[in-house]
Amino acid sequence: MAQTSPVHTKETCEHTNITSVPFSNINILMDSVLAVDEDIPTIDFLMLFSDDPIQQSKALDNLSNACDEYGFFYLVNHGVPDSVIEGALEGIADFFEVTKEEERKEYVKSSPADRIMWGLNSHAGENREYLKVVAHPQFHCPAKPASLSKALEEYFKRFQDVKIGLARAISKILGLEEFYIEKFFNLKSGFDVSAMNVYPPNFQSKGSIGVPSHTDPGFFVSLIQDVNGGLRVLSHKGKWINVYIPRNAFLIQIGDHLEVLTNGKYKSHIHQVVVDNNKVRRISLATLHGPSLDTFVIPATKFVDHFHPLGYRGMTYKESLEANGHHEIEVQSCLEQLRL
């Protein structure tokens, strides 16, 4: 069983309720609010499907609490081999080390049909180089280096079972039929986009922000990284919590469209990346697992009643990704537009 890294709570900041503050102001507030080291739930994927009904029930209760009270958690015993996770991160490192910047510029955003996109931001509001690829339902990847394509394809292939498993487990804890989310989001044709990010060490950055505050569209986000530190999530209670992912575990964060489906019962959380404490380059792989592009997402009737009125407007996943003039591969949130 994977071991979680020890985390010690440090109440080093005042609890600031900023969940209603516009994203544009949250980065400003971040400068005056320290993040805390606080325990984040750890979910044992294997136990969610245990043949022992007591163990399975306990694991599902833990998942329910994590989704209700946090909206994010670490996932261990997920069945994806350590070698596959490490291979994906090594493949990403190869891409940014072996190719030249001029070669990477081939993938600068140019068309709504783009399935590979590269970018470089180095200013006060953002410090990272990134490569985004559509991973599912068709896999896209730069041809060079071959190690990247091979490693990522195996990683995404292995993760499909995790995605479907979480869909079934979350359906259960919501009191829905086991295959409800899988079918509703049409996950067999789900539009998954992976963002491979390289954050500079602090002495090379142009500011403290790696990626500004945001939420992510889709069902959920899975994330792995080579070096801990930098990622922070805003909790239900308005506290910024530092994320320290256990070795070869996944961080899972609820996405905008699960918030919509549950009519706000589950929340998509604001998060950001800071680079102040980066002593070395840091690489992360974040995958946004979405519904199929033509899936019309609206709150399920189970979550709408006299006491819980309809809180979100319906929209296809494609429409939501393009709502602010963005291209699909940019996978930008439009949660504020979806809320009624």
Side-chain angles (χ1 to χ4, degrees), residues 27 30-31 123-127 202 205-211 230 232 272-277:
N27 292 317
M30 188 63 204
D31 291 335
H123 51 76
E126 184 170 346
N127 288 271
N202 52 17
S205 69
K206 301 290 180 62
S208 63
I209 303 298
V211 175
R232 297 172 175 180
Q272 69 167 196
V273 176
V274 294
V275 296
D276 299 62
N277 297 320

Side-chain angles (χ1 to χ4, degrees), residues 265-315:
K265 174 177 172 60
Y266 290 167
K267 299 294 186 185
S268 178
H269 281 266
I270 296 168
H271 52 284
Q272 69 167 196
V273 176
V274 294
V275 296
D276 299 62
N277 297 320
N278 281 15
K279 300 195 183 312
V280 297
R281 180 189 70 174
R282 174 173 161 264
I283 292 174
S284 71
L285 170 57
T287 305
L288 287 70
H289 305 276
S292 66
L293 288 172
D294 60 357
T295 294
F296 187 80
V297 183
I298 197 167
T301 55
K302 175 182 176 64
F303 304 106
V304 181
D305 57 32
H306 176 72
F307 300 102
H308 305 89
L310 187 70
Y312 303 81
R313 68 184 83 254
M315 195 179 290

